[in-house]
Amino acid sequence: MTAIHYDLEFLEDGRHIELISIGMVAEDGREYYAVSRDMPVRKIRKDKWLMENVVPSLPKGAGDRRNHVPKSWLFDYADPVVKRRERIADDVMDFIRAAGPDVELWANYGAYDHVCLAQLWGRMIDLPEGVPMFTHDIQQEARRQGLGWNDLPKQESGEHNALADARHNQTVRQWLAAHATTKES
Ligand SMILES: [Mg+2]
């Protein structure tokens, strides 16, 4: 089994979940990070929480005269991690398939992340072969072991940067796996 830990930042208005950025960390050592240039910029600007917590970690440069990024841009569209949603869908499919046939997806409070990920390819029925139909949840595994959030390793930095969050998900999931082994032996 190869685990892929991931995290998405998204805009969520109670009806839709729209991708902002995605970070993925595979147990085989590969990592992926992308920012969607198709994110709903106007809605994001009106979302105080996203503006304070998520937007600061997007590729920057706004107002920086050296790279001529206009102040009006929410993020630097020219940064190589910024990609079209369709391109991200292709990249993510390749990333997951490269982990082999026995792959597990893991996220933290991952229900919304899973839907937003799956919608990269459209409807549920459009999910590409090789992409798991569900995401394991770190929260569920912690409860199964009788642990609360405060018992788990803490994230030191980068919270709400999708790649930093995905790396932390890997740390916690591997810690939980080791903890389960210790308890059972
Ligand atoms: Mg996050």
Side-chain angles (χ1 to χ4, degrees):
M1 189 275 290
T2 305
I4 292 179
H5 315 82
Y6 73 99
D7 183 64
L8 269 54
E9 301 302 330
F10 46 78
L11 179 131
E12 185 264 312
D13 61 6
R15 290 172 66 86
H16 305 101
I17 311 172
E18 299 188 72
L19 180 69
I20 295 175
S21 59
I22 177 168
M24 305 187 101
V25 177
E27 244 180 346
D28 55 25
R30 291 173 303 124
E31 291 191 339
Y32 180 74
Y33 178 67
V35 171
S36 173
R37 64 175 296 137
D38 301 311
M39 72 176 81
V41 170
R42 278 193 207 154
K43 285 199 236 168
I44 292 168
R45 284 190 195 281
K46 290 185 198 147
D47 190 307
K48 192 166 173 284
W49 190 88
L50 287 175
M51 289 302 287
E52 285 174 2
N53 293 286
V54 172
V55 170
S57 81
L58 299 178
K60 269 294 159 329
D64 184 340
R65 261 189 245 134
R66 274 173 311 155
N67 56 12
H68 307 286
V69 175
K71 273 199 176 125
S72 58
W73 288 8
L74 191 62
F75 55 91
D76 182 359
Y77 284 82
D79 192 284
V81 302
V82 177
K83 297 171 182 174
R84 287 256 172 239
R85 209 168 159 279
E86 292 75 27
R87 170 74 194 290
I88 295 173
D90 287 347
D91 289 352
V92 169
M93 185 177 68
D94 292 346
F95 187 92
I96 293 172
R97 284 179 172 168
D102 190 16
V103 60
E104 283 184 1
L105 297 178
W106 282 85
N108 184 33
Y109 295 112
Y112 283 52
D113 297 79
H114 182 85
V115 171
C116 193
L117 180 86
Q119 285 186 337
L120 281 173
W121 302 285
R123 302 164 303 164
M124 191 175 182
I125 200 172
D126 300 319
L127 201 71
E129 206 170 326
V131 177
M133 289 187 75
F134 74 102
T135 293
H136 296 257
D137 202 311
I138 287 169
Q139 293 294 328
Q140 185 169 12
E141 178 57 15
R143 297 300 184 285
R144 190 185 74 79
Q145 297 190 33
L147 298 168
W149 188 240
N150 290 333
D151 302 317
L152 305 177
K154 297 281 166 299
Q155 184 163 355
E156 277 166 25
S157 64
E159 219 170 325
H160 306 306
N161 170 288
L163 183 59
D165 290 356
R167 286 174 180 153
H168 183 64
N169 287 347
Q170 172 164 272
T171 302
V172 176
R173 210 272 310 162
Q174 290 177 339
W175 184 92
L176 282 165
H179 186 264
T181 314
T182 319
K183 268 203 337 192
E184 280 151 26
S185 60

